[in-house]
Amino acid sequence: MAKGLPTIDVYEYGGKKDGERQKTNRRLFMQLNVFDVEAGQKADDVAKALLGLAQEAKVAAVVYADTTSPRGLGLLTWAEDPAHFVTKVRPFFEHDALSRVHLRHDFDMIGRSYASGHEPELEWMLLERPVGNVMNESYPWHVWYPLRRTGSFAKLGHEEQVGILREHATLGMAYGQQELGHDIRLACHGLDAGDNEFLIGLVGHDLHPLSHLVQSMRKTRQTSEFIAKMGPFFVGYVIGRCSGK
């Protein structure tokens, strides 16, 4: 390494386990594609065909009915290798059943799981928890949205940042413990066409508590002072799931 250059560390770190701090270079990528079917096509038929393609290709996926678009569908896929979206998922849209759909690029979302540095089970949090939440049959409602913080947040001292994030996290955990809603937190720096920084998924039994959670978060310091942009919001109702096996 040339002298004077910083050492770059791209690992994810968790809390200590068996006396040593956890460290991994594994993470999960998740992608949401949203599209409308043409008039004359039945959205449910296209969804059924899409699930069949996923099962045949052994691609783990969730297929949604778009609550705000009568002919809209959503496709959520994930993998540790982001090339999966190009080599495995992309060919779905070349199939006859999906050849006439209209992709809604303003709703394209992609992100990667990340660690806060305190996780007691690091790889479970990065690789298994997001999948467990979206695949849970008890949670048919999923809300996805990107967000970007203002640059002023990055200029705050570490302790102040920690306090702001703790307030936000504590509120989210309260909803989770009462089975009102669970989250998927992904980073999308440099991956998002709209220059967003994070991609958030909320899943639950019912839609209202997920909306209530977003409303409650507006009162936290992070959202009220340091969020520059949120949305668009995709509200999906699960039509079907494929485990990829």
Side-chain angles (χ1 to χ4, degrees), residues 35 41 46 49-50 53 92-101:
F35 51 93
Q41 286 185 299
V46 175
L50 184 55
L53 290 171
F92 290 173
F93 293 90
E94 299 172 1
H95 191 275
D96 288 345
L98 279 79
S99 62
R100 293 184 292 147
V101 303

Side-chain angles (χ1 to χ4, degrees), residues 169-207:
T170 298
L171 186 57
M173 287 189 291
Y175 278 79
Q177 288 184 359
Q178 296 178 55
E179 276 299 315
L180 294 171
H182 299 270
D183 69 342
I184 299 98
R185 296 177 287 108
L186 308 171
C188 58
H189 302 79
L191 305 176
D192 179 86
D195 191 30
N196 291 297
E197 297 175 299
F198 298 97
L199 172 58
I200 306 299
L202 302 175
V203 303
H205 300 287
D206 301 299
L207 182 58

